[in-house]
Amino acid sequence: KISDDESGKKVKTTVRGVSEDRITKKRPKIHSFFVNSAQFVIDAKYSPLNPIGHGAYGVVCSAVDQTNDKKVAIKKIPNAFEDLIDAKRILREVKLLRHLSHDNVHIFYKL
């Protein structure tokens, strides 16, 4: 709620220090599915299509973003940050993929 204080300024009401708009904020809708024995938990706006491949670090599947009908690839890397060396390699891969210009490599929407 927004109320006026003594000076006439608009002030947001808080509950235990948390603003009301943050309390009433809706959680994003998610769904889960399995690809090659790996569980993907993603936004509901993505509709899974089929597995693309798997490797040492994870599983990749294709999906469609239903908000704009774009085909995307989603990579699931379990326990990505448990081992420091593996975490550095994964981060290096992400940084390299951002700089490649090829028909099969597209920009990152979310990480």
Side-chain angles (χ1 to χ4, degrees):
K1 295 179 180 178
I2 298 177
S3 59
D4 295 330
D5 64 357
E6 295 88 32
S7 63
K9 291 182 180 178
K10 302 286 184 187
V11 179
K12 284 188 178 180
T13 306
T14 61
V15 177
R16 295 185 189 156
V18 179
S19 63
E20 187 175 334
D21 61 342
R22 185 161 178 197
I23 293 170
T24 59
K25 191 179 222 182
K26 293 181 180 177
R27 291 184 180 195
K29 294 182 181 180
I30 59 172
H31 65 109
S32 67
F33 58 93
F34 284 89
V35 175
N36 292 341
S37 72
Q39 183 181 15
F40 284 72
V41 180
I42 59 173
D43 288 339
K45 70 178 187 174
Y46 296 108
S47 173
L49 294 177
N50 55 6
I52 294 176
H54 64 280
Y57 293 118
V59 178
V60 181
C61 76
S62 64
V64 174
D65 184 346
Q66 295 175 348
T67 59
N68 56 17
D69 281 342
K70 285 192 175 184
K71 197 170 181 182
V72 297
I74 302 171
K75 186 171 190 176
K76 167 78 173 189
I77 304 172
N79 307 322
F81 301 107
E82 284 190 2
D83 182 32
L84 180 62
I85 301 297
D86 286 342
K88 287 181 179 180
R89 287 180 182 152
I90 292 165
L91 183 61
R92 189 178 310 126
E93 177 185 342
V94 170
K95 286 181 177 180
L96 284 171
L97 286 173
R98 285 185 173 178
H99 295 288
L100 293 179
S101 176
H102 190 273
D103 292 340
N104 295 334
V105 179
H106 297 281
I107 61 170
F108 284 91
Y109 293 111
K110 287 186 179 180
L111 181 61

